[in-house]
């Protein structure tokens, strides 16, 4: 039996534009999100949050609030049950923010929880929270790295110690100094908030003194379970975290935040299920954000536009405790063929909560700097933006010297240019008018790495021809329910209607959460591994069964494809898994397996070096592959020279992302990625007041995200791409890819329209008008 | 200001004139401090005083006709229609995205017109026909708008979807689904962070054609 498949398996349902299997529940309102689970006896929790960003609570007067009808308890730092450990006491804390509020009288950021009211109705809890009178001794807060009180420091390590704060390859400064073309610019990225439509919510149900169920809006139930176990000092198996539906996350629900444990502690205190949903305003100070940041990029090229050096520095704001910052440098290191590179991160502590990964963390802002500078150099040298990218095309990953596992970027460029009509672009900026409006065309490259991961799944095939497949993954709207149904259907040779795929529960086999674009590749591989286990068992049954066409065959000579077992040498001879199972008289058969995504899969199937022993090319010598998806965005804008408004009028995105599991959901995700990027490019910005370090526009009226009228038709295509090294099915994640490069494509189009380079996101009308007042 | 910002104001397009009778009914029921605070400037002084004179405090019985069925809940007059649906009637299809009329996730139909149920007090909708996402399908058979959303993948996470669909149904009924541009404009009160906009627009245009 062939288990180490080196070719991507044949497919039948996989890839098809199947309607979402969870779609009917979503369009009828039957899908229940975390705050909508109905548990008898549930009472309501409401947070009261601090109005100052730094200082001490001197008193909390709850007397008026307590007199309100229906109040069950009011918890403050004085009476909140203590967790077994605070995050700072946990040895390897798994979340971004290591600070837990309401442990003492300290206030470290505005909007930090200071009290939690539990009442019989939401209205009463809300009212009582408003009546609590908190007196503070306020100190002057630090609002950002721009604050004169702020001190920039070298964090040494960023992202919970996972990455170095200074990376050098070659001799970048010297190469820059000697370069024929030297370009230096600074790029600013505003504070962004994920703002999923579903506010974060926790419903905590203590089923006994040491048994807890939490319905959480979680991108990663295993992470939430582990963090709760750490804080409560309970064994993981005593804690169940459930997320059947989640209303978007974009990263913010993939980390652990204070409201979850506070709700759990409150439920313990009142001995009843407590449900707490953050208000929209609290979503701006409750679940992290993309940090305010500034990048300086020195780009050196030859006279014909070939990169010789990239010297990158990033300055950003971080919280009083953690050194989180997006690693913008990664994409600068690998996207093009550049021999010299460095990046340096500097952080400053301010009175803000810890920022956290937000869709395409690092790649999104990093590519804005890289792709804008490259566009400038192209313009300076009179090169087409596409041409300069082809001149710098990386045939292998220059950051580590490894060959690509697959790369279809040239096809993406070509197909995108064709779909967009790039050849009709006016090269000289500011020349293209449509009536009063300036028209511009820009493009940028997209790329996102394959983050290695692994997970487990369970497959139970029933003799009546249906199957239940389980993995503790989540579906953020990414289509996990649907695509895994398709993968399972092909693995077992069944119609998708015959598959029930279950996710979102820590009782299911452990799978990675949705984040870093790892879910699709990992869970698909896990299901295939579990299916292989079932195949093995059924093949063994068949070869021992006189009635089977495979009777007496060696299991090693039997292959399974699309639910059918057959002799590798004589494919006519065979039967379906279900047929063999029916004859066996067994009602069902179960298998489980662990699947890998990325480097682990490659190692398992191609050996330590990841090199295919049957392949004589340089791959064998180099060993191992660099794994990325790639794509290209093309954008048309209209700029109003009198009002400074920018409208996107056309968008084309073409991507190479391995096997596409479902063309419909994948296309939607790429469209969503582009629009998410357009938001960051043109409108998204949370303003933190410099004196008080409080957000001044913390709601959906003040924090502008794209609305329907902002968005034109968006064309998305995938180029065919097969990648044997990353996982069984050759799947690459696409959650982030669609957003990378978007802001640059917009900025490049604005440059083409106006001759003005805008390096400060979001590119709002005031900035455009100001730029237009300056000479081109 | 002549046009009060109440749910009686059509969300757009040719709606029925505001029903003053029901507004007064509400005022009498809500009454008290709440009535005064909420009494909009269009009410005469006399009406304000009337509102003050009849006072209902605390929990009382509210009857809401939702999806054709009258149901009674015990709730305070400050309970919004959205919370009445979600927390008192366990009709959780209508979503809370902002609770401030900024996102449209809570859109339901009241007497056929789309309203943000988070900005509507439940008491004000007594005697009116409330239609939520749960009331759209006929048994197993999806409403054409629901079917079109499914077919065009007009959603990802699905959280904004009930609001989009209710808004889409009204958008078509109002006659605001004549073109792509029109749909985009008249659907811009419903935010979708997953950004399914192009697919939402396609779904509504298709449903408009079939209706
Ligand atoms: S919840 Fe009503 S508009 Fe957002
Ligand atoms: S589908 Fe997720 S917000 Fe619209």
């Amino acid at each position: 039996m062939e288990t180490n498949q080196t070719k991507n398996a044949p497919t039948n349902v996989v890839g098809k534009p199947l309607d979402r299997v969870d779609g009917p529940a979503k369009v009828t309102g039957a899908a229940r999100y975390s705050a909508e689970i109905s548990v008898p006896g549930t009472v309501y929790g409401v947070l009261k949050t601090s109005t100052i960003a730094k200082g001490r609570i001197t008193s909390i007067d709850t007397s008026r609030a307590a007199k309100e009808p229906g109040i069950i308890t009011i918890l403050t730092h004085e009476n909140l049950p203590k967790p077994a450990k605070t995050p700072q006491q946990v040895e390897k804390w798994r979340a971004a923010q290591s600070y837990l509020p309401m442990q003492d009288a300290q206030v470290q950021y505005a909007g930090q929880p200071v009290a939690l009211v539990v009442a019989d109705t939401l209205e009463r809890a809300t009212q009582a929270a408003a009546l609590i009178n908190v007196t503070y001794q306020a100190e002057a807060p630090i609002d950002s790295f721009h604050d004169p009180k702020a001190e920039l420091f070298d964090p040494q390590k960023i992202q919970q110690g996972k990455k170095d704060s200074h990376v050098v390859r070659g001799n970048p400064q010297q190469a820059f100094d000697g370069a024929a073309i030297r370009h230096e610019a600074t790029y600013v990225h505003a504070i962004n908030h994920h703002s999923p439509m579903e506010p974060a919510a926790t419903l905590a149900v203590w089923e006994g003194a040491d048994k807890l169920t939490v319905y959480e809006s979680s991108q990663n139930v295993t992470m939430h379970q582990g963090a709760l176990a750490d804080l409560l000092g309970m064994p993981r198996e005593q804690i169940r975290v459930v997320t059947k539906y989640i209303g978007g996350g974009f990263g913010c629900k993939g980390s652990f935040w204070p409201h979850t444990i506070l709700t759990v502690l409150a439920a313990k205190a009142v001995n009843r299920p407590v449900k707490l949903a953050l208000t929209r305003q609290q979503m701006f100070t409750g679940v992290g954000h993309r940090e305010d940041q500034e990048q300086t990029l020195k780009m050196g090229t030859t006279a014909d536009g070939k990169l010789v050096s990239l010297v990158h520095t990033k300055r950003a704001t971080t919280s009083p405790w953690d050194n989180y910052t997006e690693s913008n440098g990664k994409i600068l290191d690998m996207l093009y063929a550049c021999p010299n590179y460095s990046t340096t991160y500097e952080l400053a502590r301010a009175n803000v909560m810890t920022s956290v990964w937000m869709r395409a963390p690092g790649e999104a802002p990093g590519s804005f700097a890289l792709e804008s500078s490259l566009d400038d150099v192209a313009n300076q040298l009179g090169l087409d933006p596409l041409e300069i990218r082809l001149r710098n095309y990386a045939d292998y990953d220059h950051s580590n010297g490894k060959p690509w596992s697959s790369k279809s970027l040239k096809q993406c460029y070509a197909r995108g240019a064709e779909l967009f009509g790039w050849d009709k672009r006016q090269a000289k900026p500011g020349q293209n008018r449509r009536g009063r409006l300036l028209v511009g065309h820009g493009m940028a490259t997209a790329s996102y790495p394959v983050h290695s991961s692994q997970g487990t799944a369970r497959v139970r095939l029933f003799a009546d021809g249906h199957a239940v497949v389980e993995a503790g993954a989540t579906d953020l709207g990414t289509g996990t329910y649907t695509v895994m149904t398709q993968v399972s259907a092909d693995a077992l040779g069944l119609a998708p209607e015959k598959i029930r795929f279950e996710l979102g529960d820590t009782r299911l086999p452990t799978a990675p959460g949705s984040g870093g674009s790892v879910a699709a590749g990992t869970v698909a591989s896990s299901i295939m591994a579990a299916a292989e286990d079932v195949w093995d068992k059924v093949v063994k049954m068949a070869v021992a069964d006189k009635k089977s066409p495979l009777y007496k065959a060696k299991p090693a000579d039997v292959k399974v494809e699309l639910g059918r077992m057959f002799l590798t040498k004589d494919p006519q001879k065979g039967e379906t898994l279900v047929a063999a199972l029916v004859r066996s008289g067994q009602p069902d058969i179960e298998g489980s397996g662990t699947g890998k995504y990325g480097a682990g899969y490659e190692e398992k199937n191609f050996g330590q070096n990841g090199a295919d022993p049957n392949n004589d090319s340089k791959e064998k010598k180099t060993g191992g592959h660099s794994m990325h998806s790639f794509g290209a965005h093309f954008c048309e804008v209209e700029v109003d020279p009198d009002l400074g408004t920018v409208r996107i009028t056309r968008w084309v995105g073409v991507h190479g992302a391995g096997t596409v599991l479902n063309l419909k959901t994948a296309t939607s995700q790429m469209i969503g990625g582009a629009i998410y990027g357009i938001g960051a490019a043109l409108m998204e910005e949370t303003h933190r007041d410099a004196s008080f370090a409080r957000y001044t526009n913390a709601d959906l009226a003040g924090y502008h995200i794209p609305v329907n009228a902002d968005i034109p038709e968006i064309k998305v295509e995938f180029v065919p791409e097969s990648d044997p090294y990353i996982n069984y099915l050759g799947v690459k994640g696409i959650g982030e890819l669609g957003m990378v490069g978007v802001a640059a494509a917009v900025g490049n189009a604005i440059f083409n329209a106006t001759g003005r380079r805008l390096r400060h996101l979001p590119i709002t009308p005031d900035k455009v008008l100001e730029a237009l007042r300056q000479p081109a | 200001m002549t046009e009060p910002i109440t749910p009686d104001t059509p969300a757009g397009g040719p709606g029925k004139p505001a029903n003053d009778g029901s507004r007064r009914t509400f005022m009498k029921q809500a009454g008290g401090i709440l009535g005064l605070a909420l009494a909009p400037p269009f009410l005469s002084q006399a009406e304000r005083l009337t509102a003050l004179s009849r006072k209902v405090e605390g929990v009382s019985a509210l009857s809401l006709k939702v999806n054709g069925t009258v149901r009674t809940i015990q709730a305070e007059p400050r309970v919004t229609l959205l919370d009445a649906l979600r927390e008192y009637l366990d009709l959780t299809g209508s979503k809370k995205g902002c609770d401030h009329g900024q996102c449209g996730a809570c859109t339901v139909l009241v007497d056929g017109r789309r309203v943000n149920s988070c900005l509507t007090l439940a008491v004000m909708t007594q005697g009116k026909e409330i239609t939520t996402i749960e009331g759209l399908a006929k048994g197993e058979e999806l409403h054409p708008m629901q079917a079109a959303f499914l077919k065009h993948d007009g959603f990802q996470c699905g959280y904004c979807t009930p609001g989009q669909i209710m808004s889409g149904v009204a958008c078509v009924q109002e006659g605001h689904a004549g073109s792509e541009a029109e749909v985009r404009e008249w659907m811009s009160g419903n935010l979708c962070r997953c950004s399914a906009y192009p697919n939402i627009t396609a779904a509504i245009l298709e449903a408009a054609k079939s209706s």
Side-chain angles (χ1 to χ4, degrees), chain A residues 27-41:
Chain A
V27 299
T28 56
R32 283 188 185 251
Y33 298 72
S34 299
E36 299 165 354
I37 307 292
S38 160
V39 177

Side-chain angles (χ1 to χ4, degrees), chain A residues 50 52-55 97 99 106-112 139-145 147 149-150 285 289 317-321 348-354 688-695:
Chain A
S50 71
I52 65 159
K54 188 176 185 207
Q97 173 156 315
Y99 172 70
Q106 289 297 326
V107 175
Q108 308 251 34
Y109 58 96
Q112 130 180 5
E139 293 167 43
I142 299 175
D143 79 292
S144 73
F145 70 94
D147 194 308
K149 299 187 290 300
T285 50
H289 55 275
T317 303
T318 192
S319 67
W321 335 274
R349 301 209 180 282
N351 294 101
V352 301
M353 79 181 310
T354 304
R688 200 184 290 129
D689 178 85
S691 313
F692 298 103
R694 289 177 63 174
Y695 293 119

